[in-house]
Amino acid sequence: MGIALAVAAASAAGAPAGTVYTANERDGSITRIELQSGAQQTTRLAVSPHNVQISPDGKRVLAVGVSSHAGHGGGGGAKGKLVVMEASSGSPEPVLLDAGDHPAHVVTDAAGARAFVSDSGANVVHVIDLASQRSIGQVATDRYPHGLRLSPDGKTLYVANMRGGTVSVIDVDSLKETQRIAVGKGPVQVGFSPDGARAFVSLSAENRLGIIDTSKGRLVKKVAVGSMPIQMDATPDGRRVYVANQGTSSKPADTVSVVDPVAGKVVATVTTDKGAHGVAMSKDGRYVFVTNIEAGTLSVIDTAVNQVVSTHRVGAGPNGVTYSE
């Protein structure tokens, strides 16, 4: 493992405050970007990180992936790992914890005490106590659990099951799946409106964003977006959802669809870079950060004008992204 410093390709003039981390799956690294200065720090890992998540207190960076030699999807007996890093610059070496055969995404509970890791190979969500660094349980899901998010009230975990066509609803206290919601083809990731009244799911095989009424526990609407939508995030006022459209490897897309979830339609389309994939939003909703997996870049979108205002070159195959103030 080693650390290299670089400077963002884009000008940092007028840039937002805060820090963004990208999981660069194709070169086994995590890039830390100080947005105002444009300075970067890249940490090389022994795994190919598929997803990255900052802890609620902003002190830890969590990532999941398999051996750098295996690539996403595992194989060859490779074991997946949960990577735990200190968020501060110049932090100690990352800690690697066992996380099943094919870990896809990771989030923590509201206190940041437990990590929830979706294991697409075993059809479970692993629960890992971060203090003891040990597994304390697992929850069965539908087939190929992938993206997962914690509800705004911190009580439930929604998990997109790509091959099951469902979303699992998990009670984080009892660690039991309480419901499976049928949503459609190829659900990749989930998200929530800030009040928790709606959940969103990207339907990659339908080119649609699904909208779930969480009180009713069912899908109530589908909105046509771009080619192969992957991740999404909602603005703090709940009026807009930003959906990254990746496209295919042979024909990568380069757009973000801006959806009005109440009207159920796309109200704007933002051009980013090839293979738009991961999405994270600033706390005030002014900026959206999008990884472009085929271009190896991060786009910064100003939501006031729905335009890319800066672009940062990161590692190869940037996948997941997370933001910290």
Side-chain angles (χ1 to χ4, degrees):
M1 301 178 188
I3 294 176
L5 297 178
V7 177
S11 169
T19 306
V20 168
Y21 299 83
T22 64
N24 309 314
E25 189 168 25
R26 294 177 186 172
D27 69 4
S29 70
I30 291 177
T31 297
R32 180 182 191 268
I33 305 170
E34 296 290 348
L35 291 166
Q36 287 197 326
S37 68
Q40 294 188 18
Q41 181 181 47
T42 296
T43 301
R44 303 292 173 183
L45 302 175
V47 300
S48 298
H50 185 66
N51 192 61
V52 62
Q53 182 70 45
I54 194 79
S55 62
D57 62 8
K59 294 181 178 180
R60 287 170 169 161
V61 178
L62 309 177
V64 287
V66 295
S67 165
S68 299
H69 302 292
H72 185 57
K79 291 290 184 181
K81 298 292 182 180
L82 167 64
V83 180
V84 183
M85 303 169 53
E86 296 299 319
S88 60
S89 178
S91 61
E93 291 290 293
V95 174
L96 273 64
L97 307 176
D98 290 340
D101 291 336
H102 185 181
H105 280 232
V106 59
V107 296
T108 71
D109 60 17
R114 296 173 296 171
F116 300 102
V117 178
S118 55
D119 185 343
S120 299
N123 298 332
V124 299
V125 170
H126 298 286
V127 186
I128 299 172
D129 181 86
L130 292 173
S132 66
Q133 300 183 354
R134 294 181 178 178
S135 173
I136 56 174
Q138 60 185 35
V139 185
T141 63
D142 206 346
R143 291 180 297 142
Y144 211 86
H146 200 77
L148 72 171
R149 289 291 180 205
L150 189 70
S151 62
D153 63 9
K155 295 181 179 179
T156 54
L157 191 70
Y158 276 47
V159 186
N161 302 304
M162 286 187 67
R163 294 177 184 167
T166 63
V167 168
S168 290
V169 181
I170 295 173
D171 182 282
V172 300
D173 290 329
S174 66
L175 297 181
K176 294 185 182 299
E177 183 191 49
T178 59
Q179 187 180 6
R180 287 184 188 175
I181 303 171
V183 292
K185 297 179 180 180
V188 175
Q189 176 61 302
V190 292
F192 287 93
S193 61
D195 61 4
R198 298 184 185 92
F200 309 108
V201 55
S202 53
L203 301 174
S204 62
E206 296 185 17
N207 299 334
R208 294 179 179 179
L209 177 72
I211 301 177
I212 296 169
D213 183 320
T214 58
S215 65
K216 297 177 180 178
R218 63 182 178 87
L219 189 79
V220 294
K221 191 177 296 183
K222 292 183 180 181
V223 181
V225 290
S227 173
M228 205 171 96
I230 303 295
Q231 293 192 24
M232 84 296 295
D233 209 349
T235 54
D237 60 10
R239 296 178 60 190
R240 298 290 184 265
V241 181
Y242 285 73
V243 185
N245 305 305
Q246 179 177 305
T248 64
S249 57
S250 61
K251 192 175 181 180
D254 60 356
T255 64
V256 170
S257 298
V258 185
V259 175
D260 180 331
V262 176
K265 64 180 182 180
V266 173
V267 295
T269 300
V270 184
T271 300
T272 55
D273 212 339
K274 289 184 179 180
H277 184 102
V279 181
M281 186 167 300
S282 63
K283 296 292 173 56
D284 61 4
R286 177 64 189 273
Y287 297 98
V288 175
F289 311 101
V290 179
T291 55
N292 304 296
I293 196 168
E294 298 298 336
T297 59
L298 174 83
S299 297
V300 180
I301 298 171
D302 185 332
T303 60
V305 292
N306 281 327
Q307 292 180 357
V308 172
V309 292
S310 64
T311 300
H312 302 256
R313 182 158 295 283
V314 294
N319 202 304
V321 59
T322 191
Y323 168 83
S324 178
E325 287 185 323

